[in-house]
């Protein structure tokens, strides 16, 4: 009995460590009072743990043929990026972000996997997904509070922003304690909750939809494009709808939504929902519906924002042979001329067609290899969603040289790949002890 309690206590502490680690690593919130990047400290700490406690496993993992190829491909990408930045000497912003793949994302993911496998054994992947679900649910609840409490929002941005001021565009958006709230974070949230929705899981249907409603509601207030993973799951849901007890599920969903509306009614005063601040709900609704309606070419009074015009206006590319094929070394996202935040345009203007193709090949190669190695339906579907979402959202925003969605993708791929070779790291893991 004593040993049983000890193992449980050890697992609980390990879960807390992993939860805190995943929060800081994925969300990387800015803290203006801390002069260094906490996610880099995490790499040092976990690398130190792995060298001290699992040095042989660390060597085996890093020298694994698949992991080594990943590192090599990203090093080659880094060399090309560095060469362009050095020739043009625009800045080394993109070089730094590309370096993080081989220098931080892969090594950290390897060390975190070894730590989780040591503590959870065969359940390492299952534990990772559970912790990620808890993480996005808590972050979404906090975002919901920020949405309807401007004072709380000002406090949070007072912690994150150097001058303590929040610009007007974040009065409705930017709900949560994280970086990347206007693009990557809500996309990651919807990828995870969409995977939960379409995968076999011990969680009840009722609780799945509770998580779905809370997470998606906040994600959409931050970025309309976060709806992409859910749209991608629709065909799968339609194909499998008759395999489930549709009536019972529908009743459960209706009950959940009714309870949520009641809780919402009780928690937030009526004057917030229907009084002076009712513009919050209506403004967000108009922004979401209007944006998608405009994109689909549907006339609506919901939004004056011309999404299609914005996308086509920001697609300037130099079609001369050398710039088109080999790039100009220009970071279009921060360029003073012909600025663009479209991912494909940024890749083309920086490294040309060669760089665009290579960046996508490297990314989808990692996802494909991980998919082939995955031995669970849940992670196979998660990887499919990551790949499909990555492709779609790269037409709207920067992905390859943006850190949050990229590090999430690498984390999942490395965990799945290393878990397929878990017998090589099984010595002294909980499963081998038992």
């Amino acid at each position: 009995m004593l040993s049983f309690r000890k193992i449980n206590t050890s697992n609980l502490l390990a879960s807390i460590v992993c939860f805190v680690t995943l929060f800081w690593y994925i969300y990387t919130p800015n803290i203006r009072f801390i002069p260094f990047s906490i996610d880099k400290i995490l790499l040092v700490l976990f690398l130190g743990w792995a060298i001290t406690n699992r040095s042989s496993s660390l060597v085996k993992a890093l020298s694994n043929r698949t992991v080594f190829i990943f590192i090599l491909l990203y090093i080659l990408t880094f060399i090309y990026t560095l060469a362009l930045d050095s020739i043009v000497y625009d800045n080394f912003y993109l070089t730094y972000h590309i370096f993080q793949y081989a220098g931080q994302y892969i090594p950290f993911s390897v060390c975190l996997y070894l730590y989780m496998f040591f503590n959870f054994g065969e359940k390492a992947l299952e534990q990772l997904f559970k912790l990620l679900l808890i993480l996005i649910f808590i972050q979404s609840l906090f975002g919901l509070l920020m949405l309807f409490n401007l004072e709380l929002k000002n406090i949070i941005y007072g912690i994150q922003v150097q001058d303590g001021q929040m610009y007007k565009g974040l009065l409705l958006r930017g709900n949560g304690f994280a970086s990347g709230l206007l693009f990557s974070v809500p996309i990651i949230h919807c990828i995870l909750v969409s995977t939960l929705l379409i995968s076999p899981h011990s969680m009840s249907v009722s609780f799945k939809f509770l998580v779905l409603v809370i997470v998606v509601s906040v994600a959409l207030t931050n970025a309309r494009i976060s709806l992409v993973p859910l749209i991608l799951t629709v065909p799968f849901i339609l194909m499998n709808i008759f395999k489930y007890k549709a009536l019972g599920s529908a009743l459960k969903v209706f009950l959940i939504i009714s309870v949520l509306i009641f809780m919402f009614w009780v928690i937030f005063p009526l004057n917030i929902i229907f009084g002076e601040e009712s513009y919050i709900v209506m403004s967000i609704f108009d922004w979401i519906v209007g944006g998608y309606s405009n994109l689909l070419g549907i006339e609506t009074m919901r939004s004056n924002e011309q999404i299609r015009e914005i996308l086509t206006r920001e697609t300037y590319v130099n079609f001369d042979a050398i710039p088109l094929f080999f790039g100009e070394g220009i970071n279009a996202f921060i360029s003073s001329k012909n600025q663009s935040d479209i991912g494909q345009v940024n890749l083309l203007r920086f490294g040309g067609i060669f760089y665009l193709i290579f960046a996508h090949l490297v990314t989808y190669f990692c996802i494909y290899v991980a998919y082939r190695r995955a031995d669970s339906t849940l992670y196979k579907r998660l990887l499919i969603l990551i790949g499909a979402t990555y492709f779609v959202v790269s037409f709207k925003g920067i992905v390859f040289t943006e850190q949050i969605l990229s590090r999430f993708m690498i984390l999942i791929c490395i965990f799945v790949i290393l878990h397929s070779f878990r017998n090589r790291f099984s010595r002294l893991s909980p499963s081998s002890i038992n």
Side-chain angles (χ1 to χ4, degrees):
M1 181 63 71
L2 180 61
S3 62
F4 178 76
R5 288 179 179 175
K6 186 178 291 186
I7 290 173
N8 277 346
T9 303
S10 175
N11 285 349
L12 177 61
L13 290 175
S15 295
I16 294 172
V17 169
C18 293
F19 179 84
V20 174
T21 298
L22 288 168
F23 171 81
W24 285 106
Y25 182 70
I26 293 176
Y27 292 125
T28 63
N30 297 318
I31 307 293
R32 66 189 182 99
F33 309 109
I34 302 177
F36 52 84
S37 179
I38 293 178
D39 62 297
K40 305 300 184 295
I41 301 300
L42 292 174
L43 172 61
V44 174
L45 291 175
F46 276 88
L47 188 59
W49 176 88
I51 292 173
T52 304
N53 298 278
R54 287 290 175 274
S55 56
S56 60
S57 295
L58 179 62
V59 172
K60 288 178 183 178
L62 291 176
S63 60
N64 174 273
R65 183 173 178 269
T66 305
V67 175
F68 179 77
I69 290 173
F70 284 6
I71 294 174
L72 181 61
L73 287 172
Y74 282 114
I75 288 177
L76 291 174
T77 313
F78 163 72
I79 292 172
Y80 187 85
T81 309
L82 178 63
L84 269 174
D85 269 339
S86 300
I87 293 171
V88 179
Y89 203 72
D90 186 13
N91 59 63
F92 290 92
Y93 175 84
L94 295 180
T95 298
Y96 168 72
H97 284 297
I98 296 302
F99 172 75
Q100 288 187 104
Y101 280 98
Q104 181 187 0
Y105 303 160
I106 295 176
F108 173 82
S109 299
V110 168
C111 292
L112 182 60
Y113 173 79
L114 292 178
Y115 178 81
M116 291 189 68
F117 183 72
F118 171 71
N119 286 281
F120 306 113
E122 290 288 327
K123 296 183 178 180
L125 283 186
E126 180 184 338
Q127 190 69 7
L128 174 67
F129 193 75
K130 285 181 180 178
L131 290 173
L132 288 172
L133 285 180
I134 295 170
L135 197 61
I136 67 170
F137 186 69
I138 293 176
Q139 180 77 266
S140 298
L141 285 176
F142 189 71
L144 198 62
L145 290 175
M146 286 179 63
L147 175 63
F148 292 102
N149 190 329
L150 189 58
E151 184 178 348
L152 174 62
K153 196 167 189 175
N154 281 321
I155 292 172
I156 297 302
Y157 278 90
I159 295 172
Q160 291 191 270
V161 184
Q162 287 297 327
D163 58 8
Q165 297 297 315
M166 180 172 56
Y167 71 87
K168 186 178 179 181
L170 290 177
L171 289 177
L172 297 181
R173 302 176 68 191
N175 300 301
F177 184 46
S179 300
L181 284 169
L182 306 186
F183 187 70
S184 290
V185 166
I187 290 173
I188 290 173
H189 282 195
C190 284
I191 287 175
L192 287 168
V193 80
S194 298
T195 304
L196 175 68
L197 192 64
I198 63 174
S199 301
H201 200 276
S202 57
M203 185 183 296
S204 68
V205 174
S206 302
F207 196 73
K208 279 186 180 181
F209 277 95
L210 172 64
V211 174
L212 175 72
V213 171
I214 297 293
V215 172
V216 173
S217 296
V218 177
L220 281 176
T221 67
N222 290 328
R224 290 171 294 202
I225 201 166
S226 64
L227 197 59
V228 167
L230 282 167
I231 294 174
L232 292 173
T233 62
V234 170
F236 178 87
I237 294 172
L238 291 177
M239 286 188 297
N240 290 274
I241 193 168
F242 296 108
K243 295 181 181 179
Y244 302 98
K245 297 178 181 179
L247 181 59
S249 297
L251 290 173
K252 288 181 180 179
V253 173
F254 177 76
L255 181 62
I256 292 167
I257 294 174
S258 301
V259 171
L260 284 174
I261 293 173
F262 177 74
M263 289 174 62
F264 196 74
W265 189 292
V266 172
I267 293 173
F268 298 107
L270 290 178
N271 65 319
I272 290 180
I273 305 303
F274 300 106
E276 297 178 356
E277 297 185 26
S278 61
Y279 76 93
I280 293 178
V281 176
M282 291 308 302
S283 297
I284 292 173
F285 181 77
D286 291 348
W287 175 66
I288 295 170
V289 174
Y292 276 100
S293 298
N294 179 260
L295 185 63
L296 296 172
I298 301 172
E299 293 294 331
T300 176
M301 297 299 292
R302 291 292 185 185
S303 175
N304 295 321
E305 186 178 10
Q306 301 300 306
I307 302 297
R308 288 188 296 173
E309 285 75 5
I310 291 173
L311 291 176
T312 54
R313 186 173 67 239
E314 296 183 354
T315 56
Y316 168 81
V317 175
N318 188 341
F319 285 98
D320 293 338
I322 292 179
L324 180 63
F325 284 95
F326 300 102
E328 300 176 272
I330 294 175
N331 183 353
F333 181 64
I334 60 175
S335 176
S336 58
K337 183 180 180 182
N338 298 317
Q339 188 273 344
S340 174
D341 64 353
I342 296 175
Q344 312 291 11
V345 172
N346 270 263
L347 290 173
L348 273 173
R349 288 180 61 186
F350 180 79
I353 292 176
F354 173 76
Y355 191 72
L356 172 71
I357 293 174
F358 189 74
H360 280 283
L361 284 177
V362 171
T363 300
Y364 297 121
F365 173 75
C366 293
I367 295 172
Y368 172 75
V369 171
Y371 175 82
R372 291 292 301 271
R373 293 286 183 185
D375 54 9
S376 76
T377 303
L378 186 146
Y379 273 90
K380 280 183 177 290
R381 291 175 182 173
L382 173 58
L383 286 162
I384 290 174
L385 264 181
I386 290 174
T389 302
Y390 188 103
F391 178 77
V392 174
V393 301
S394 65
F395 286 94
K396 171 59 183 74
I398 298 172
V399 181
F400 187 68
T401 56
E402 191 277 339
Q403 59 173 336
I404 295 178
L405 188 55
S406 300
R407 65 175 63 196
F408 172 74
M409 182 269 291
I410 290 293
L411 180 77
I412 299 299
C413 289
I414 292 295
F415 262 67
V416 170
I417 289 166
L418 290 183
H419 204 65
S420 68
F421 297 106
R422 54 190 176 274
N423 60 309
R424 300 182 186 182
F425 316 115
S426 60
R427 192 171 66 88
L428 296 181
S429 70
S431 56
S432 64
I433 293 173
N434 295 332

